[in-house]
Amino acid sequence: SQQGEEDPQALSIQEGENATMNCSYKTSINNLQWYRQNSGRGLVHLILIRSNEREKHSGRLRVTLDTSKKSSSLLITASRAADTASYFCATGLRSNDYKLSFGAGTTVTVRA
Amino acid sequence: NAGVTQTPKFQVLKTGQSMTLQCAQDMNHEYMSWYRQDPGMGLRLIHYSVGAGITDQGEVPNGYNVSRSTTEDFPLRLLSAAPSQTSVYFCASSNDRQGGTEAFFGQGTRLTVV
């Protein structure tokens, strides 16, 4: 069964606005990762946050991790049309974190 | 570096036919995995390998076989295709890094079984 679940399933925002999506997971993890998938393409790694970290930044991306609530959030600031994509969280389990478990994703549409 | 290369990009099979999806990586990564992606389901792990000669089953292995004779290649075989195997297939590779393993994905193979 899938470990992570993203919320919301879909998000539509205006260019320049911020986009926030959440991920909840079920078991203890070694790390949590976020990936982006443009339509018809493969997944691209965005950011990895370790289980002992609470927040991480990469450019316009901000990820938080709350292991007590088994949840993470991804914030994209000042969104652009090029941010239109599906975003997936993936968890790496403590025992074997190369076996990633993915959620169903959040589809983000940025309107010009 | 080409990264992870999958072939073919598109394939149509008839029920009962067999085929092999190819995956190659040029990053000398230890770990390689096959996922399938279905609408609304995210990615589900089919099979994975932690090194040449070592493979194991993932979440949805039935109907698929894999082998890993070299570090670079990790082909996925469908022995007798079924309509339920219509999906987009992704190969991924990663290496052991302290704190986590970032996966690199191929561009996918869109398979339709009729």
Side-chain angles (χ1 to χ4, degrees), chain A residues 66-100:
Chain A
D66 187 335
T67 53
S68 66
K69 295 181 180 177
K70 291 186 169 61
S71 68
S72 172
S73 68
L74 171 66
L75 168 67
I76 306 172
T77 60
S79 62
R80 307 166 181 170
D83 295 326
T84 294
S86 292
Y87 293 82
F88 295 88
C89 70
T91 50
L93 300 179
R94 285 200 177 281
S95 56
N96 45 20
D97 70 355
Y98 48 83
K99 288 171 61 178
L100 295 177

Side-chain angles (χ1 to χ4, degrees), chain A residues 1-2 30-31 33 35 37 41-43 45 48 50 88 97-100 102-104, chain B residues 31 35 37 40-43 45 48 50 59 90 98-103 105-107:
Chain A
S1 62
Q2 288 176 282
N30 191 41
N31 62 76
Q33 304 179 40
Y35 288 81
Q37 184 181 35
R41 311 283 288 180
L43 279 74
H45 182 265
L48 180 153
R50 301 174 190 178
F88 295 88
D97 70 355
Y98 48 83
K99 288 171 61 178
L100 295 177
F102 286 84
Chain B
Y31 307 124
Y35 294 86
Q37 184 177 30
M41 296 289 293
L43 276 76
L45 182 64
Y48 65 97
V50 300
E59 183 185 353
F90 288 99
Q98 191 173 3
T101 51
E102 167 193 345
F105 283 82
Q107 292 301 299

